[in-house]
Amino acid sequence: MRKTTVLGGVTLAFAASLAVAAPASAAPANDGAACVQAGLGTLKSLGLLQAAAQQKVDYSTLADPVNGPIYAALPAGSYLSLGQVVKLHTTNPDLFAWCR
């Protein structure tokens, strides 16, 4: 039960940091789809797609608010479901280098 609580807290902290890091984009739906495809392609090219699908990627290792490739400050242990990551690509594409 503790692991679920910690994970939930990390997810909330991640979402909160993203909300502060960049405003929601008003990009058209096609741009969102292109961003999602680019994100999935990036995970695949890094050999992380399967690990991401299994919620085994610590996105804090890819995050740097200044240099990216994920432009946010994330706490260590920022494991998200692939669905959450896909949604962030459509709601906050400016967070991702491959969507800029």
Side-chain angles (χ1 to χ4, degrees):
M1 180 105 175
R2 170 122 170 83
K3 184 176 179 181
T4 302
T5 303
V6 171
L7 180 58
V10 168
T11 301
L12 289 175
F14 179 60
S17 71
L18 294 181
V20 170
S25 173
N30 288 343
D31 287 346
C35 181
V36 169
Q37 288 179 332
L40 292 173
T42 299
L43 286 170
K44 185 176 180 181
S45 71
L46 294 173
L48 295 174
L49 188 57
Q50 183 173 358
Q54 296 171 343
Q55 205 167 331
K56 293 181 179 179
V57 174
D58 180 358
Y59 290 96
S60 70
T61 63
L62 300 171
D64 182 310
V66 175
N67 299 311
I70 298 174
Y71 293 94
L74 301 175
S78 292
Y79 297 92
L80 299 172
S81 71
L82 190 54
Q84 290 169 310
V85 174
V86 166
K87 184 173 182 179
L88 286 169
H89 279 72
T90 61
T91 59
N92 297 86
D94 288 344
L95 292 174
F96 305 98
W98 44 87
C99 296
R100 289 181 166 204

